Amino acid sequence: MGSELLPQWASKPCIMGIDEAGRGPVLGPMVYGCLYCAVSYQKTLSSLNFADSKTLKEEKREELFESLKADESIGWAVDIIDSRELSAKMLKKNKINLNEISHDSAMGLVRRALNMGVLLTEVYVDTVGDPEKYRIKLAERFPSIKFVVAKKADSLYPVVSGASIVAKVTRDRALRDWVLDESAENMHRNFGSGYPGDPETKDWLEHHKHSVFGFPSLVRFSWGTCKPYFKDIVQVAWESDEMDENGSTSRTGKRQLKLSSVGFTGIKRKSEEIESSAKGRCKFFQARKLEQLSQF
């Protein structure tokens, strides 16, 4: 999502700003956004009244986002990392922490612009972690670009302020338009801000936890906020058959896993639709020849 055509000014020296939205919430995606323009456009950019998105009302953010999208002298892009991807990376065997995920996303935006043909010479980034270590990491990856990494960069540099608006509006819209994959009864969208301390968010998590399947896919179940809700969850053990080199199933390496320890959720996937009606059963149960019993 973002600018698709390469404008003529992109072949001249350009600057870019990068910022994120949604790093702290327990619900929804984290979004990284960037804004770029020709170095010669910096003075005009400063006059567009961009500011740290957190200091602006929603209506003003929406207005500024639409204006920058219509400005042919500005390019922009976003990387939307949904809650399932965040949790999967943070809980996998070789864990990827949130800082690494953030760094990878920012570098991905830089790489995307370079691959489009944008002549980036300066990039300003709102820091994640130690600013100097982050700057060195970026400079080693992209040695031809000058990087400025700073705390509160979204309030210091207009190009980062613009990126902040891109990221925040994109996340707000993603949450507003989110379609819950799960089909359980009594599910609703009154989840508040999505931040762990929000009483409305806490009530929503309590109401939407499942004793077997955990939380809906909107929830970042790897967050520490979710752990207290797992105390009453059903402890389900299942066999995980490891595949041998030939791709056949090996019965020698069985291990027991608790679904609650990995935040298992009922996610519908295109390749494996979960049918809650009598029309069919989940492939998980079909493959194991499990049937519902009315008598024991």
Side-chain angles (χ1 to χ4, degrees), residues 179-215:
V179 177
L180 293 169
D181 291 331
E182 297 75 20
S183 57
E185 294 182 359
N186 301 320
M187 295 185 71
H188 62 78
R189 296 173 49 84
N190 302 324
F191 41 68
S193 67
Y195 280 88
D198 186 337
E200 195 170 5
T201 298
K202 290 181 179 179
D203 289 343
W204 189 90
L205 287 170
E206 180 65 37
H207 179 75
H208 287 78
K209 69 179 181 180
H210 190 281
S211 60
V212 175
F213 296 109
F215 291 107

Side-chain angles (χ1 to χ4, degrees), residues 149-200:
V149 182
K151 295 179 180 179
K152 305 294 183 183
D154 47 5
S155 60
L156 298 174
Y157 307 104
V159 70
V160 183
S161 301
S164 173
I165 291 168
V166 169
K168 177 63 175 171
V169 173
T170 300
R171 174 178 153 80
D172 287 348
R173 291 180 178 181
L175 270 181
R176 187 167 62 240
D177 300 334
W178 191 277
V179 177
L180 293 169
D181 291 331
E182 297 75 20
S183 57
E185 294 182 359
N186 301 320
M187 295 185 71
H188 62 78
R189 296 173 49 84
N190 302 324
F191 41 68
S193 67
Y195 280 88
D198 186 337
E200 195 170 5

Side-chain angles (χ1 to χ4, degrees), residues 97-250:
N97 64 42
L98 193 59
N99 281 5
E100 290 179 274
I101 295 171
S102 299
H103 292 174
D104 289 344
S105 181
M107 288 187 285
L109 290 172
V110 174
R111 191 177 302 109
R112 189 190 307 181
L114 292 174
N115 290 342
M116 285 178 60
V118 179
L119 181 58
L120 289 178
T121 57
E122 300 174 35
V123 175
Y124 296 80
V125 186
D126 194 46
T127 194
V128 172
D130 182 87
E132 181 59 15
K133 290 181 179 179
Y134 191 10
R135 186 197 66 78
I136 292 172
K137 182 177 183 179
L138 291 166
E140 288 177 346
R141 185 67 62 89
F142 306 101
S144 63
I145 300 174
K146 173 189 174 183
F147 286 94
V148 176
V149 182
K151 295 179 180 179
K152 305 294 183 183
D154 47 5
S155 60
L156 298 174
Y157 307 104
V159 70
V160 183
S161 301
S164 173
I165 291 168
V166 169
K168 177 63 175 171
V169 173
T170 300
R171 174 178 153 80
D172 287 348
R173 291 180 178 181
L175 270 181
R176 187 167 62 240
D177 300 334
W178 191 277
V179 177
L180 293 169
D181 291 331
E182 297 75 20
S183 57
E185 294 182 359
N186 301 320
M187 295 185 71
H188 62 78
R189 296 173 49 84
N190 302 324
F191 41 68
S193 67
Y195 280 88
D198 186 337
E200 195 170 5
T201 298
K202 290 181 179 179
D203 289 343
W204 189 90
L205 287 170
E206 180 65 37
H207 179 75
H208 287 78
K209 69 179 181 180
H210 190 281
S211 60
V212 175
F213 296 109
F215 291 107
S217 57
L218 176 66
V219 181
R220 304 177 188 178
F221 52 80
S222 60
W223 256 232
T225 306
C226 296
K227 289 183 179 179
Y229 298 95
F230 289 151
K231 61 183 179 181
D232 298 323
I233 205 164
V234 174
Q235 301 295 304
V236 181
W238 55 281
E239 283 185 344
S240 176
D241 295 326
E242 297 183 357
M243 305 295 287
D244 63 19
E245 293 181 358
N246 297 322
S248 59
T249 303
S250 171

Side-chain angles (χ1 to χ4, degrees), residues 22-137:
R23 179 181 170 86
V26 68
L27 302 180
M30 178 171 72
V31 177
Y32 258 79
C34 73
L35 183 145
Y36 53 93
C37 66
V39 172
S40 59
Y41 195 69
Q42 281 190 88
K43 288 185 178 180
T44 304
L45 190 68
S46 300
S47 68
L48 298 181
N49 297 318
F50 292 152
D52 175 5
S53 63
K54 295 184 288 295
T55 67
L56 302 172
K57 293 184 178 179
E58 182 178 0
E59 295 80 5
K60 186 61 177 179
R61 290 196 300 265
E62 288 279 350
E63 177 187 328
L64 289 171
F65 185 48
E66 291 303 320
S67 67
L68 72 84
K69 284 167 58 179
D71 192 330
E72 295 182 354
S73 297
I74 292 175
W76 63 280
V78 293
D79 180 26
I80 303 174
I81 312 166
D82 76 17
S83 48
R84 290 165 289 194
E85 182 178 351
L86 287 170
S87 293
K89 287 182 174 179
M90 296 178 73
L91 291 174
K92 64 188 296 188
K93 184 176 181 180
N94 297 318
K95 294 178 174 56
I96 304 175
N97 64 42
L98 193 59
N99 281 5
E100 290 179 274
I101 295 171
S102 299
H103 292 174
D104 289 344
S105 181
M107 288 187 285
L109 290 172
V110 174
R111 191 177 302 109
R112 189 190 307 181
L114 292 174
N115 290 342
M116 285 178 60
V118 179
L119 181 58
L120 289 178
T121 57
E122 300 174 35
V123 175
Y124 296 80
V125 186
D126 194 46
T127 194
V128 172
D130 182 87
E132 181 59 15
K133 290 181 179 179
Y134 191 10
R135 186 197 66 78
I136 292 172
K137 182 177 183 179

Side-chain angles (χ1 to χ4, degrees), residues 252-268:
T252 60
K254 296 177 182 177
R255 54 194 171 90
Q256 297 292 316
L257 298 177
K258 292 181 179 179
L259 295 183
S260 62
S261 68
V262 295
F264 190 82
T265 58
I267 301 172
K268 288 184 180 179

